[in-house]
Amino acid sequence: MIDRTIYDIFRRGSRTYFYSTLFFPPAVREDVFSLYSFVRTADDYVDAVPQEVEEFYAFIDRYAAAAAGETTGDVVIDLFVELAGRKGLDPAWTAAFLNSMEKDITVGSYRAIRDLEGYLYGSSEVIGLMMARILDLPPESHAAAQNLGRAMQYVNFIRDIAEDLALGRTYFPQDEMDRFGLDDLSATTASRDPRAFAAFVRFQLRRYRVWQEEAEAGFGHIPRRYRIPIRTASDMYRWTARAIERDPAVVHRRKVKPSVIRIVSGAASNTLKA
C-alpha cells in the first residue's frame, strides 16, 4: 500500500512520470513512488519562491540521521532510506543528487557544457542509476539509464526556460548563447531576435536527441513488463521535444506537457506492442 504522503507528492510533481509509473507492477510502483517523493521534496525546497534554504539543509540533516540508522519520522526520508538499503542504492548517488540540488542555491549559470556535466550527473543521471537498481537491471544497462535521465532532464531545461529565469537560473552554457548572439534567454531577447533564439533551442534539442537515442539503444536490457512505463515516459519526452522544435517561442508562452489522455493512450499502445 503506497503511503498517502508520497502518493500526493508524486501526483502533484510530475504528470508524465506519475501516470507512466502506474503501469509498473505494484511492488516496483511503490519503490518508484518512494524514490520520486524523496528527489521531488529536495527539489521543491530549492525551487520555492523564496527558496527554502533552511528547510533544504534540515532535510539533508534528517537524511544523514536516517542513513545512520535513526527513524526520523519523516516518511519521505525513512521510506527512501529503507529502499536504498533494500535495493543497494549507492550512497554516493544520493550525495551527488543532493550536491546538485545545493547548486541550485549557489550557482545561477554555467560557462560551458563541461561545467554543467556535474550538475546533470547529480540531478538526473544518478536517478537513472537508481531506477536501474530498483528494476534489478544488469550493469550493462547503466550507461543507457544515465543517458535517459540526462536526456529527460535536458528537455525539462528547455521546456522550463522561462520558469528557471524567474528563479535566477540559466542551465544552458553561456559560451553557446554567445555563439548564437544571445545575451540571455529572456522573452525580450527571444522576441528581438526570434531566429537566433529558435536556432539556439533547436541546437539544444539536437543534443537531447543524441542522449535519447543512446538511452533507447539500451532498452533491450529492460524486461518487457518494465519496458512499458519507461518507453511511455520516453515517448512523452520525445513528444514534448517535437512540440518545442516546431515552435521554440512556445517556452515563453506556456509549459509544454502531454495530457493525461496522451500519456495513458501511449502506455496502452506500448502495452499492445509488448
Side-chain angles (χ1 to χ4, degrees), residues 216-267:
E216 293 187 0
F219 278 10
H221 294 294
I222 306 171
R224 188 164 52 185
R225 66 189 182 280
Y226 299 156
R227 205 178 304 157
I228 293 164
I230 294 173
R231 170 68 71 179
T232 299
S234 182
D235 290 347
M236 293 305 105
Y237 273 84
R238 277 189 177 275
W239 177 87
T240 300
R242 286 196 301 270
I244 295 172
E245 184 167 39
R246 285 194 298 270
D247 178 17
V250 71
V251 300
H252 283 299
R253 298 195 303 272
R254 63 184 177 88
K255 193 164 186 168
V256 180
K257 284 188 172 185
S259 67
V260 173
I261 291 174
R262 184 179 296 277
I263 298 166
V264 174
S265 296

Side-chain angles (χ1 to χ4, degrees), residues 33-64:
F33 270 68
S34 294
L35 169 61
Y36 183 87
S37 66
F38 179 84
V39 299
R40 185 71 204 193
T41 298
D43 192 48
D44 283 347
Y45 286 133
V46 299
D47 283 353
V49 180
Q51 287 182 315
E52 297 175 347
V53 176
E54 290 184 8
E55 290 84 349
F56 172 72
Y57 286 114
F59 181 82
I60 291 179
D61 290 341
R62 290 196 302 280
Y63 164 70

Side-chain angles (χ1 to χ4, degrees), residues 86-129:
R86 175 165 45 83
K87 301 301 289 189
L89 306 187
D90 189 337
W93 297 342
T94 308
F97 166 73
L98 293 171
N99 181 62
S100 285
M101 294 302 96
E102 185 176 27
K103 284 182 180 177
D104 281 337
I105 298 172
T106 60
V107 179
S109 62
Y110 296 86
R111 181 63 199 166
I113 189 64
R114 65 179 176 273
D115 300 319
L116 183 62
E117 287 171 353
Y119 180 88
L120 282 168
Y121 175 76
S123 67
S124 58
E125 292 180 45
V126 299
I127 309 305
L129 291 170

